[in-house]
Amino acid sequence: MSRASSPALRTHIMVRVGSFIFSLFFLFQVASAQTFVQGKALADASLKEKAVWMEKLASDDSEEATRILQYWLDGILVYWPQENRLVRGIKEGRRYQLQDLMTEEALGAVSSREIDRVKTNNSLRSALKQVLGSRQLGSSDRNVRLSAIAELKRRPDYKVLPLLKKREASEQDDQVARQLSELIGLVLLESAEANEQMEGLRRISGGLSPEVKDSLSRFLLNPNLDPGVVEVAQRELDAITRSLMYWGIGQDLFFGLSLGSVLLLAAIGLAITFGVMGVINMAHGEFIMLGAYTTFVIQQWIPATSMWSLLISIPTAFVVSGTAGIILERLVIRHLYGRPLETLLATFGVSLILQQLVRTVFGPLNQSVVTPDLLSGALDINAAFSVTYNRLFVIAFALCVLVTLWGVMQRTPFGVRVRAVTMNRGMASSMGVQTQRVDALAFGLGSGIAGMGGVALSQLTNVGPNLGQSYIVDSFMVVVFGGVGNLFGTVFAALSLGVANKMLEPLSGAVLAKILILVFIILFIQKRPRGLFALKGRAAED
Amino acid sequence: MQTRSWKRTFKNTIFASAVGLSVSLAHAADTIKVGVLHSLSGTMAISETTLKDTVLMMVEQQNAKGGLLGKKLEAVVVDPASNWPLFAEKTRELLEKEKVDVIFGCWTSVSRKSVLPVIEELNGLMFYPVQYEGEESSKNVFYTGAAPNQQAIPAVNYLIDELGVERFVLAGTDYVYPRTTNKILENYLKNLGIGESDIMINYTPFGHSDWQTIVSDIKAFGSAGKKTAVVSTINGDANVPFYKELGNQGMSAEDIPVIAFSVGEEELSGFDTGPLVGHLAAWNYFMSAEAEVNDEFIEAWHSFTGDTARVTNDPMEATYIGFEMWAKAVEKAGTTEVDKVRPALYGTAVPNLTGGTAVMHTNHHLQKPVLIGEILEDGQFEIVSATPGEVIGDAWTDYLPDSAKIIADWTAPVNCGNYNIETQQCSGQNF
């Protein structure tokens, strides 16, 4: 076999070498005549040859070259053998829509076999971003300028210094100017002269971004530095490391809050069904899962990238999970009040049924729930501390759910009835409260809230048949720790467990952190079997 | 009342199993039975269901070609339900009750370890199609997935040679495969002169979903003046929130590339792959491989599943190779008897799906090409690097001092899965 393939290999190499020489020839053409790049050679080139192409294109500052580089980076630059030229090819389903490079005039759709995509890899992609970055510095859109600067910061290059200085002189926007100054500082660190290095250090002083720390650490590895410069650089690095540590603690706190709010969303429904009604509902996790799947189904109807898909999912998930909860209560749990062990077994069975049902309907694979554009990305407070929008959304959402639920329980007739039934069923019944109805509705409320939690969780984790299982233990943990029957306890427990977990994690690793938390709860329950905030009085007696 | 119904159930069971037994006896004469031991429910169903379908497709294709040795093939599918001890029970059921001639099965290492004692006791034959940590060679198991030297080591080499990486984060799920692989990689990197302080090892539980701290730790670790990469042995499910968090915290593949050993086309089909473009994976097969045999395989898969959106992946290729090899060896041996088929397998060569040839070696491992792919916008991989030839799977890694002196060779004179070349003897256990 190997003998058979070697002539083929040799031809292959010859073709490669040939096309390389060919491409060099045409590169020369490009540089002089500003004609089209030879698309075929570019598409066939090896990654190393492509780097040469890119260098050449970079030296050509025509609009055409810029477009070629940009489309190349975006992965939509294709070679079209039929017309022997480069075009823009946008994938639609299994076919490519072709467009002219410059005029963007549509050229029809072809299959993937009729064209050659000009491929990239990581190193090419970052080089492309660098080249385009230096071109976009002069853009009239400040956001484009900012992202160009961010791109150039990744690999400071001394060669672009004159260009940067020129830009700095004409920059009007404060924020852009600040970023530009930091970039110039980073570039100056690449210089061999001590006074330029000092100037660079002065400019980056106080910067907290990973690029600054990265460049500074690299700078200090250089053995030919002036001792004075080393001293300043070291001082600067120490200062950065120190303030990064403080910000790191802040970041851990935020992470903890966000984990806490996830726990809260998962557990708050259980705080009603288990905490208030005393039903051990092992299918609680599956109600969360139903909510997450509702989001998935809604996203099939409404454009997934729009925020509306999520906003509509929230009430829908409440209704879906709530209805499922009421059905479960009416068919199963109603017959088992006062028999916790049987309830546990029955609801565990229901949870398995629901899982398998979802597996049959949607398949065993995870479904992809898209994060709306509004919730993608992060809010940068400074270079060292950023909060991601989806986490922020979950925290805000948890807060809303909490306030609404508290309002319902404390301020509405329904809430009063629920509390009355839990405190003394017989008395409430003789006062004319329809206890059975209240039971069903309260259980529906708890399940519905679990469904809304599922919508939020679909933004953070996998939507699959096993989604619920991974939250059921955590949910019970939170409710038990916070004290059964106490909403406020649940909130406090969720947040404190979240923060404790995230504070431990950097020290002990994720696995050990989780174990430590569980051990703590076991010990705590020994000491206070009724949780942090135990109900006092008559309600606590049964 | 209760006892009566219990008795009735008992009677029914006896009756049913008697019928089942007689049916299978009747069949035993004229069919060759192929056992399929993949989880169809539970956590691993997500990955393993596909492999069950692959075996069924291969059986169907073989039957269309006229079966084997003049007999039709019959697939016997059982569901071990992602429950590790149940894997052992189901293996026993397949071998003792169903009397299957070969088993295709398992995904996780822990399920394979649970099957081993049974399959060795009953002298069965199993093909294991998933990349794994090595350090094992059983007489009764053929490993068609990648050993560490066919995936992990070449991947790290790519990072060092092509991307100039000097600092490594080894992130994994906390179980046997990542732990062993990371131990091997850590030793390998240290041998290359990479310092202790440039290696960060991190483990997370199964299905971990809150990656905020870890991603921000990786970001901090990566800003120390050296090019940093993440080598990920994070398993299945947990990858989605991990990659989501990478995207949200703005960590792009150009800053800190992540190379994954457990993320393939199938896993990506549940992803929004936009933010992942440029991250890497190392496998022996990618669906995007350009080979005629691959196109045929994909087409057959689409028409078998009736869904043109279904993707193919590396463990499917391994299943395909295993099945083709077994069929070839059975023809060569003229029987399905394990003791005859096993020696017939050594040296058996079948085309792999990337245009090369897979050969079974006497250590029960394959030779395979190693490919590095970058994730594309559409969830496929762009192959950016391929080893020039095929790499022979090494059951016992050379990068752990204790394993370096152990070899596996199931032919005479060694005839053992863990032969110590220093003491010149087998360690006694069967694997």
Side-chain angles (χ1 to χ4, degrees), chain A residues 36-102:
Chain A
F36 260 100
V37 186
Q38 262 302 301
K40 180 164 175 46
L42 182 60
D44 286 349
S46 78
L47 292 167
K48 285 219 166 67
E49 293 156 21
K50 276 185 183 145
V52 181
W53 276 97
M54 204 212 63
E55 291 282 315
K56 295 286 180 180
L57 277 168
S59 63
D60 174 359
D61 55 4
S62 70
E63 168 71 12
E64 195 170 31
T66 310
R67 281 189 179 223
I68 290 178
L69 289 168
Q70 182 66 50
Y71 297 155
W72 192 358
L73 174 66
D74 296 342
I76 54 174
L77 183 69
V78 301
Y79 168 64
W80 193 17
Q82 195 187 321
E83 297 225 343
N84 189 25
R85 61 170 168 148
L86 287 169
V87 291
R88 207 170 153 207
I90 294 157
K91 197 169 185 189
E92 270 176 20
R94 299 177 72 80
R95 296 178 74 77
Y96 284 85
Q97 294 290 339
L98 299 187
Q99 291 173 354
D100 188 85
L101 274 186
M102 297 302 291

Side-chain angles (χ1 to χ4, degrees), chain A residues 67 86 98 132 138 168 174 271-272 293 326 340 348 353-354 401 451 487 490 513 522:
Chain A
R67 281 189 179 223
L86 287 169
L98 299 187
L132 286 167
E168 194 186 29
D174 270 355
I272 299 193
Y293 269 95
I326 291 177
F348 184 63
I353 292 171
L354 283 175
V401 170
L487 268 188
T490 309
I522 292 171

Side-chain angles (χ1 to χ4, degrees), chain A residues 226-488:
Chain A
D226 187 79
V229 176
V230 171
E231 194 191 326
V232 177
Q234 191 61 51
R235 194 151 17 106
E236 206 51 59
L237 184 61
D238 290 346
I240 291 177
T241 316
R242 209 167 33 247
S243 45
L244 278 182
M245 196 186 76
Y246 295 135
W247 282 107
I249 294 174
Q251 183 121 30
D252 282 340
L253 264 176
F254 174 76
F255 292 162
L257 274 184
S258 109
L259 176 65
S261 58
V262 168
L263 289 176
L264 179 62
L265 276 174
I268 198 164
L270 200 71
I272 299 193
T273 54
F274 176 59
V276 179
M277 300 173 66
V279 176
I280 299 180
N281 178 18
M282 295 299 282
H284 179 77
E286 276 58 44
F287 292 140
I288 299 179
M289 174 192 72
L290 284 183
Y293 269 95
T294 309
T295 320
F296 168 71
V297 173
I298 297 270
Q299 285 198 345
Q300 306 305 302
W301 298 89
I302 295 171
T305 45
S306 108
M307 193 64 197
W308 285 109
S309 66
L310 219 55
L311 293 181
I312 294 176
S313 300
I314 293 171
T316 321
F318 180 82
V319 172
V320 169
S321 294
T323 317
I326 291 177
I327 293 172
L328 176 67
E329 203 274 345
R330 285 288 89 185
L331 291 183
V332 181
I333 295 173
R334 176 163 70 111
H335 306 291
L336 299 171
Y337 279 121
R339 288 150 69 187
L341 193 63
E342 281 92 333
T343 320
L344 187 143
L345 287 176
T347 51
F348 184 63
V350 170
S351 88
L352 292 181
I353 292 171
L354 283 175
Q355 274 178 41
Q356 202 57 42
L357 186 78
V358 166
R359 205 171 273 135
T360 317
V361 175
F362 294 97
L365 296 182
N366 289 334
Q367 302 297 343
S368 97
V369 170
V370 182
T371 308
D373 292 340
L374 259 180
L375 297 185
S376 312
L379 172 71
D380 293 317
I381 295 177
N382 67 19
F385 185 64
S386 62
V387 293
T388 54
Y389 288 119
N390 61 350
R391 298 277 170 182
L392 221 49
F393 165 74
V394 170
I395 293 179
F397 183 63
L399 211 68
C400 290
V401 170
L402 179 70
V403 169
T404 318
L405 183 64
W406 187 82
V408 168
M409 293 301 274
Q410 299 296 327
R411 303 265 177 243
T412 64
F414 169 69
V416 173
R417 286 195 200 110
V418 172
R419 282 184 294 143
V421 171
T422 10
M423 280 176 193
N424 193 326
R425 181 173 291 269
M427 183 83 82
S429 175
S430 49
M431 300 291 282
V433 176
Q434 289 179 297
T435 54
Q436 297 227 337
R437 215 174 97 99
V438 168
D439 282 339
L441 286 178
F443 197 83
L445 176 70
S447 312
I449 290 172
M452 298 207 293
V455 177
L457 285 181
S458 75
Q459 295 303 308
L460 300 179
T461 183
N462 288 304
V463 178
N466 300 318
L467 169 66
Q469 276 185 332
S470 37
Y471 285 97
I472 184 77
V473 174
D474 287 348
S475 308
F476 272 106
M477 196 170 80
V478 166
V479 175
V480 170
F481 178 57
V484 170
N486 190 328
L487 268 188
F488 176 67

Side-chain angles (χ1 to χ4, degrees), chain B residues 86-233:
Chain B
L86 197 58
F87 269 88
E89 283 172 41
K90 290 289 175 187
T91 311
R92 192 172 286 281
E93 180 188 322
L94 282 173
L95 290 172
E96 281 187 336
K97 202 172 132 236
E98 301 284 352
K99 305 234 178 293
V100 297
D101 297 299
V102 62
I103 296 175
F104 292 88
C106 293
W107 182 290
T108 58
S109 288
V110 39
S111 67
R112 189 189 67 252
K113 294 273 184 206
S114 128
V115 164
L116 277 180
V118 180
I119 199 146
E120 288 183 352
E121 176 200 329
L122 302 173
N123 195 25
L125 179 64
M126 181 168 90
F127 284 84
Y128 174 67
V130 183
Q131 109 281 9
Y132 83 121
E133 68 280 5
E135 307 298 286
E136 181 182 305
S137 175
S138 161
K139 187 180 178 181
N140 302 84
V141 179
F142 285 87
Y143 307 81
T144 56
N149 72 319
Q150 291 171 309
Q151 190 183 28
I153 302 279
V156 168
N157 287 341
Y158 175 82
L159 291 178
I160 295 173
D161 299 339
E162 299 287 322
L163 302 183
V165 173
E166 299 170 271
R167 221 164 140 83
F168 289 86
V169 180
L170 308 180
T173 303
D174 201 0
Y175 76 111
V176 53
Y177 165 65
R179 281 211 177 248
T180 317
T181 308
N182 286 345
K183 208 163 72 189
I184 294 171
L185 284 181
E186 195 186 352
N187 264 300
Y188 180 70
L189 291 173
K190 282 182 183 160
N191 282 346
L192 291 179
I194 288 170
E196 186 108 40
S197 60
D198 284 333
I199 303 174
M200 167 177 156
I201 300 183
N202 183 290
Y203 291 106
T204 39
F206 263 104
H208 191 67
S209 63
D210 195 326
W211 290 93
Q212 306 175 83
T213 318
I214 291 160
V215 170
S216 85
D217 281 356
I218 292 175
K219 228 165 131 181
F221 186 77
S223 62
K226 294 178 180 172
K227 176 83 178 168
T228 307
V230 180
V231 177
S232 151
T233 39

